[in-house]
Amino acid sequence: MVTLKDIADEAGVSIATVSNVINGNLSKVSNDNAKRIRAIIENRHYVPNSSARTLAVKSSHIIAGILMGAQGANMLKDPYCAEFFGELVGAVQDRGYYFMVRYVTSYDEVIKSLRSWNVDGAVFIGTSEVYSRKIQEEIHIPLIFTDSYTTQQNINNVGIDDFKGGVLAAEYFLKMGHRNLSFVGYTYPLMEKSVVPERLGGFLSVFKSHNIEMSDKQFFYVPESAPDDCLNNIASQLMEDNGGITGFFVSADKLAFALIRTLSNNGIKVPQDISVIGFDDLSITSDFMPGLTTIRQNISRKVQIVADLLFRQIEGDNVPPVNTMLDVELIERGSVKFLSKKRKENT
Amino acid sequence: MVTLKDIADEAGVSIATVSNVINGNLSKVSNDNAKRIRAIIENRHYVPNSSARTLAVKSSHIIAGILMGAQGANMLKDPYCAEFFGELVGAVQDRGYYFMVRYVTSYDEVIKSLRSWNVDGAVFIGTSEVYSRKIQEEIHIPLIFTDSYTTQQNINNVGIDDFKGGVLAAEYFLKMGHRNLSFVGYTYPLMEKSVVPERLGGFLSVFKSHNIEMSDKQFFYVPESAPDDCLNNIASQLMEDNGGITGFFVSADKLAFALIRTLSNNGIKVPQDISVIGFDDLSITSDFMPGLTTIRQNISRKVQIVADLLFRQIEGDNVPPVNTMLDVELIERGSVKFLSKKRKENT
DNA sequence: GTGAAAGCGCTAACAT
DNA sequence: ATGTTAGCGCTTTCAC
């Protein structure tokens, strides 16, 4: 293994000088030496030892990507996580940092991984409010939480405007002449306030302001682990007595797809028989569902915001914590049927 | 930050003793001390410093996951990579190791990342033959390549039986009465021998042994970055003069889906008008294409084999390199139509 | 069973 | 502009 000392010896200088050229402290090195040393470094394929550097300066240039979830789960399999982290890896490397993925099931594991490696910053997916507060108290490096509806102050959070997503869906349904709709969402047992209720909240707010009532019977919650039974129930109920429902707002594209499939198996066609609006518009889901009208969150942009904030806080001095809410937009494709104008103007 | 020294001081022992209880060298520590020290460690929330440890022993307990590809690409977005790495992260952590993801575009970057962190082992996706040989020569830690049809000896590789996958598809088509088929695959420009040609090779071998000819015109290569134009051409050609083709073997499920969609846009239905067999059966694609008959590769098992091999080589002494080829199976669903027995027995 | 001390490769403060 | 040196936190050898 080639070390600083080897380079210094070969160049006939001290290790401090070599260290300075490596770290770009050119003011302290003569041009002549700098050039010669760089050549030797190149020649000998010298690679600085990150552990030694970390030990000396207490900063590793490692960014941790923390996924909180159930023990043994393949969390990257989730297309949102994969796309988000996949993008983040690039952003982190572009800035000369390294990316460590970490699955954790408890608060304790987070603290340990972060401390153990002198991690410079961390990005979280799926962290509950209690945890994020505790982590923030223990660890004093830049921490970015995502999609976390924490009431906690002084915490970095980057989320999307889930409420507006619901509003956009509702308004579009109204515009297309729909007035009797239903909601299908994944259950999120752990969190009080979270993305799903927000999406629903936005959706309902529009109908409320139009004095259109929705009954509890029109909300369906589906377990993420085993959605099929629930979806089948929805289909059966629809066939028995649809109560005049003309469309579904679904909290995730993947779930929308499962719903559409289940309906289709029961002879109910989208959008002919019933309309559907999804949520997310990940690149993979749009590959598979080119016809789904949905609420898009722009993941590239989300990662860009996360990375900017993270590195501003790491490199800059006292950038205050911010809670960013990114915009969403409705992507109109073909899964919502236009109902008669008459019906629409009945409003 | 709490260090070994702090613990030692509080316990009234030397740092060597504390180090020994942490590393489980119980033979060198009295039960009494061990117990007391453990309590203090717990109390003070002591977390060992991985960089210091790495510096001292030259082993970081870091496993690198290397993705070779184009600059700026989101490589984890690919569902295969996401599922594979997602599973690998779990396997690595289960053994007490850390996982670092690294996008690389050149041989040089691989060497640097691996050396810089004293990485204990690395797993590669998408590495060309030239690179894998050079890396292997430079870096003497356990290296596992995947799906690499290298002719190189003494290299760890874990792949699947792509050839057999092609054979299974062909045999199934024959069994279902199909005799005039076409192949659609992604182009893999970089590699001479690789998964796609193998799959095609297996497919063709069956027809050859049945004395059924296939012309070059029946092979279509589609660029992964922009498949649509190509697929449209295939559809047009099919409508103009299908040459009696009754089915497609497609080198990846995702591509199969795109093909089916394109055909459907042109009024050609699967399996009524034409049959399709895909390849991969990732969990996400089966979510989206529940009806596709396909060749399954078992990713969980692949990761298990990779991890076993990796850690046997890391922890064991001289485990020789192996080239493992995992089995594949045909998953029969609904995308291949059964043609008349008459036609079949015409063979 | 326990401790002292050298050393891993690097940075940074301080001398020169 | 360059060199000397004291750590950073840990493991490990060797003496006790």
Side-chain angles (χ1 to χ4, degrees):
Chain A
M1 174 186 237
V2 185
T3 68
L4 260 197
K5 178 140 200 324
D6 296 328
I7 305 296
D9 287 352
E10 187 165 336
V13 298
S14 75
I15 59 170
T17 303
V18 179
S19 175
N20 279 326
V21 353
I22 285 168
N23 295 306
N25 299 332
L26 307 167
S27 61
K28 299 185 177 176
V29 190
S30 69
N31 274 334
D32 210 44
N33 267 342
K35 206 184 297 177
R36 215 172 68 263
I37 290 170
R38 265 195 280 267
I40 298 177
I41 286 175
E42 182 75 15
N43 258 325
R44 303 285 303 269
H45 304 297
Y46 167 71
V47 179
N49 183 318
S50 289
S51 300
R53 209 196 64 89
T54 301
L55 186 57
V57 302
K58 292 185 173 353
S59 150
S60 61
H61 281 60
I62 292 176
I63 303 301
I66 309 282
L67 284 161
M68 277 210 152
Q71 172 74 283
N74 180 341
M75 306 190 208
L76 276 183
K77 199 156 89 177
D78 176 86
Y80 170 79
C81 294
E83 187 161 345
F84 181 84
F85 270 13
E87 204 82 19
L88 189 56
V89 171
V92 164
Q93 291 193 186
D94 285 348
R95 281 145 166 120
Y97 283 70
Y98 296 84
F99 193 82
M100 195 173 255
V101 193
R102 199 74 191 153
Y103 288 173
V104 300
T105 56
S106 76
Y107 153 79
D108 227 58
E109 292 174 53
V110 180
I111 306 293
K112 279 191 183 144
S113 333
L114 262 35
R115 275 230 218 304
S116 182
W117 285 103
N118 283 298
V119 164
D120 284 357
V123 178
F124 295 79
I125 292 184
T127 315
S128 73
E129 164 143 25
V130 198
Y131 280 167
S132 60
R133 199 182 54 244
K134 286 176 75 181
I135 295 166
Q136 180 94 3
E137 278 165 10
E138 279 282 338
I139 305 275
H140 301 105
I141 57 170
L143 261 24
I144 318 281
F145 296 89
T146 60
D147 297 309
S148 134
Y149 278 96
T150 176
T151 55
Q152 188 71 10
Q153 296 299 311
N154 296 330
I155 200 171
N156 292 303
N157 180 62
V158 177
I160 59 167
D161 198 341
D162 293 294
F163 192 90
K164 179 177 171 187
V167 169
L168 291 177
E171 286 174 345
Y172 183 74
F173 267 134
L174 286 178
K175 186 179 124 198
M176 297 293 276
H178 295 252
R179 303 199 50 213
N180 193 348
L181 297 150
S182 177
F183 175 84
V184 182
Y186 284 127
T187 47
Y188 275 62
L190 283 174
M191 312 181 204
E192 320 72 25
K193 200 177 181 191
S194 72
V195 297
V196 175
E198 282 295 304
R199 291 170 191 180
L200 175 57
F203 192 67
L204 294 181
S205 74
V206 172
F207 292 105
K208 187 173 273 177
S209 74
H210 282 249
N211 292 316
I212 299 174
E213 271 183 42
M214 273 180 81
S215 95
D216 284 5
K217 284 196 195 142
Q218 287 169 257
F219 309 157
F220 300 98
Y221 290 95
V222 175
E224 198 158 2
S225 49
D228 289 344
D229 282 353
C230 252
L231 293 173
N232 278 319
N233 281 342
I234 296 175
S236 313
Q237 187 174 327
L238 214 63
M239 295 176 73
E240 206 177 288
D241 168 21
N242 74 5
I245 286 171
T246 59
F248 284 104
F249 177 42
V250 188
S251 79
D253 286 344
K254 195 180 164 186
L255 185 56
F257 184 80
L259 175 66
I260 291 170
R261 192 173 78 216
T262 308
L263 295 175
S264 162
N265 290 344
N266 287 277
I268 305 168
K269 300 285 174 228
V270 173
Q272 295 85 339
D273 305 325
I274 199 138
S275 296
V276 172
I277 296 181
F279 208 111
D280 278 341
D281 200 43
L282 304 179
S283 77
I284 180 130
T285 45
S286 63
D287 279 349
F288 283 110
M289 291 185 285
L292 184 73
T293 294
T294 191
I295 307 298
R296 169 186 292 169
Q297 62 164 312
N298 187 331
I299 298 223
S300 299
R301 197 138 155 281
K302 197 170 183 179
V303 167
Q304 198 184 306
I305 301 287
V306 165
D308 279 356
L309 180 57
L310 183 65
F311 288 103
R312 270 199 354 256
Q313 294 192 346
I314 289 177
E315 284 156 9
D317 285 327
N318 32 17
V319 179
V322 299
N323 192 337
T324 307
M325 185 178 265
L326 296 175
D327 204 12
V328 295
E329 55 180 328
L330 185 134
I331 304 297
E332 182 172 15
R333 294 199 271 245
S335 61
V336 175
K337 186 181 178 184
F338 181 71
L339 300 186
S340 70
K341 254 218 129 54
K342 179 156 163 276
R343 185 161 192 167
K344 182 185 163 193
E345 283 165 356
N346 256 346
T347 314
Chain B
M1 175 186 239
V2 185
T3 69
L4 260 197
K5 179 138 201 323
D6 296 328
I7 306 295
D9 287 352
E10 187 165 335
V13 299
S14 74
I15 60 170
T17 301
V18 179
S19 174
N20 279 328
V21 353
I22 286 168
N23 296 305
N25 298 330
L26 308 167
S27 61
K28 300 184 175 175
V29 189
S30 69
N31 273 334
D32 210 44
N33 268 342
K35 206 183 296 176
R36 215 172 69 263
I37 290 170
R38 264 195 282 265
I40 298 176
I41 287 176
E42 183 74 16
N43 258 324
R44 301 285 303 269
H45 303 298
Y46 168 70
V47 179
N49 182 318
S50 289
S51 300
R53 210 196 62 92
T54 301
L55 185 57
V57 303
K58 294 189 172 348
S59 150
S60 61
H61 281 59
I62 292 176
I63 303 302
I66 308 281
L67 283 161
M68 277 208 151
Q71 171 75 282
N74 180 342
M75 305 191 209
L76 277 183
K77 199 156 88 176
D78 177 86
Y80 170 80
C81 294
E83 187 160 345
F84 181 84
F85 269 13
E87 204 83 19
L88 188 56
V89 170
V92 163
Q93 291 193 185
D94 286 348
R95 280 142 167 122
Y97 283 70
Y98 296 84
F99 192 82
M100 196 173 253
V101 193
R102 200 73 192 153
Y103 289 173
V104 299
T105 55
S106 77
Y107 152 80
D108 227 59
E109 293 173 54
V110 180
I111 307 292
K112 280 191 182 143
S113 335
L114 263 34
R115 276 229 219 301
S116 183
W117 285 104
N118 283 298
V119 164
D120 284 357
V123 178
F124 294 79
I125 293 184
T127 316
S128 74
E129 164 142 27
V130 198
Y131 280 167
S132 60
R133 199 182 55 245
K134 286 175 76 180
I135 295 165
Q136 180 94 4
E137 278 165 9
E138 279 281 338
I139 304 276
H140 300 105
I141 57 170
L143 261 23
I144 318 282
F145 296 89
T146 59
D147 298 310
S148 134
Y149 278 96
T150 176
T151 55
Q152 188 70 8
Q153 296 298 310
N154 296 331
I155 201 170
N156 292 304
N157 181 60
V158 176
I160 60 167
D161 199 340
D162 292 293
F163 191 91
K164 179 176 171 187
V167 169
L168 291 178
E171 286 174 345
Y172 183 74
F173 268 134
L174 285 178
K175 187 179 125 198
M176 297 293 276
H178 294 254
R179 303 200 49 214
N180 193 348
L181 296 150
S182 178
F183 175 84
V184 182
Y186 284 127
T187 46
Y188 276 62
L190 283 174
M191 312 181 204
E192 320 74 26
K193 201 177 181 191
S194 72
V195 297
V196 175
E198 282 294 305
R199 291 170 191 181
L200 175 57
F203 192 67
L204 293 181
S205 74
V206 171
F207 293 105
K208 187 172 271 176
S209 75
H210 281 250
N211 292 316
I212 299 174
E213 272 183 41
M214 272 179 83
S215 96
D216 284 4
K217 284 195 198 144
Q218 289 169 255
F219 309 157
F220 301 98
Y221 291 95
V222 175
E224 199 158 1
S225 48
D228 290 344
D229 282 354
C230 251
L231 293 173
N232 279 318
N233 282 342
I234 295 175
S236 314
Q237 187 174 326
L238 212 64
M239 294 176 74
E240 205 177 289
D241 169 22
N242 75 4
I245 286 171
T246 59
F248 284 104
F249 177 43
V250 187
S251 79
D253 286 344
K254 196 180 162 186
L255 185 56
F257 184 79
L259 175 65
I260 290 170
R261 192 172 78 214
T262 308
L263 294 176
S264 162
N265 290 343
N266 288 276
I268 306 169
K269 299 285 174 231
V270 174
Q272 294 87 338
D273 305 325
I274 199 138
S275 296
V276 172
I277 295 180
F279 208 111
D280 278 341
D281 200 43
L282 304 179
S283 76
I284 180 130
T285 46
S286 63
D287 279 350
F288 283 109
M289 291 185 284
L292 184 73
T293 295
T294 191
I295 308 298
R296 168 186 294 168
Q297 61 165 315
N298 186 330
I299 298 224
S300 299
R301 196 137 157 281
K302 198 169 182 180
V303 168
Q304 198 184 305
I305 302 286
V306 165
D308 279 355
L309 179 57
L310 182 66
F311 288 102
R312 268 195 359 254
Q313 295 192 348
I314 288 177
E315 282 155 9
D317 285 327
N318 32 18
V319 180
V322 299
N323 192 337
T324 307
M325 185 177 265
L326 296 176
D327 204 12
V328 296
E329 56 179 327
L330 185 134
I331 304 297
E332 182 172 13
R333 294 200 269 245
S335 61
V336 175
K337 185 182 178 183
F338 181 70
L339 299 184
S340 69
K341 257 220 137 45
K342 180 155 162 276
R343 184 160 191 167
K344 182 185 165 193
E345 282 165 356
N346 257 347
T347 316

